[in-house]
Amino acid sequence: QVQLVESGGGLVQAGGSLRLSCAASGGTFSTYVTGWFRQAPGKEREFVATIRWSGGNANYADSMSGRFIISRDNAKNTVYLQMNSLKPEDTAVYYCAADVPPWSGNSRSEIGYDYWGQGTQVTVSS
């Protein structure tokens, strides 16, 4: 059973930065496609970024491209989300997710992932 645990959330002022981490256990992390999603109050969960098992093919939602950077360290079984130039509208609970083999091929959608973390709150003040 794969477990994902996010950390690094918190309160930050607009324009600031945060780095989220997601530690995986219980499986072979180096074979996963991993992604970040977020859910703001009263809104549906939305795609943020995804990265393949090799660390390549990073893909972002348009509104995050250029501000957020997804990366992973397979030796540490951890995926990261560096968030820069944060805006109040980035306030949300951020979730990491893993798509294990056989991969869904649908890495920009919730339905493409098999396992989810519990989420970490990010609050950006204006």
Side-chain angles (χ1 to χ4, degrees):
Q1 184 74 5
V2 175
Q3 292 185 325
L4 303 171
V5 179
E6 301 97 334
S7 60
L11 174 64
V12 63
Q13 289 188 333
S17 298
L18 280 176
R19 188 175 82 155
L20 306 183
S21 300
C22 174
S25 62
T28 308
F29 181 77
S30 61
T31 66
Y32 305 163
V33 172
T34 49
W36 287 95
F37 289 75
R38 70 184 187 184
Q39 188 168 21
K43 296 186 177 181
E44 294 185 352
R45 190 153 53 183
E46 65 173 342
F47 168 75
V48 173
T50 184
I51 191 167
R52 296 181 70 180
W53 56 90
S54 62
N57 295 97
N59 195 268
Y60 300 91
D62 289 345
S63 61
M64 293 79 163
S65 183
R67 297 191 299 125
F68 291 7
I69 301 171
I70 188 171
S71 62
R72 60 189 289 163
D73 185 337
N74 288 343
K76 296 182 178 180
N77 289 354
T78 301
V79 60
Y80 304 97
L81 185 68
Q82 177 67 42
M83 304 186 295
N84 302 317
S85 302
L86 284 162
K87 306 174 183 180
E89 51 265 42
D90 293 318
T91 294
V93 177
Y94 284 71
Y95 299 90
C96 71
D99 176 15
V100 304
W103 304 289
S104 69
N106 195 3
S107 59
R108 294 175 68 94
S109 172
E110 289 184 71
I111 64 173
Y113 291 86
D114 304 295
Y115 297 97
W116 293 83
Q118 83 288 349
T120 186
Q121 176 70 46
V122 172
T123 303
V124 184
S125 63
S126 57

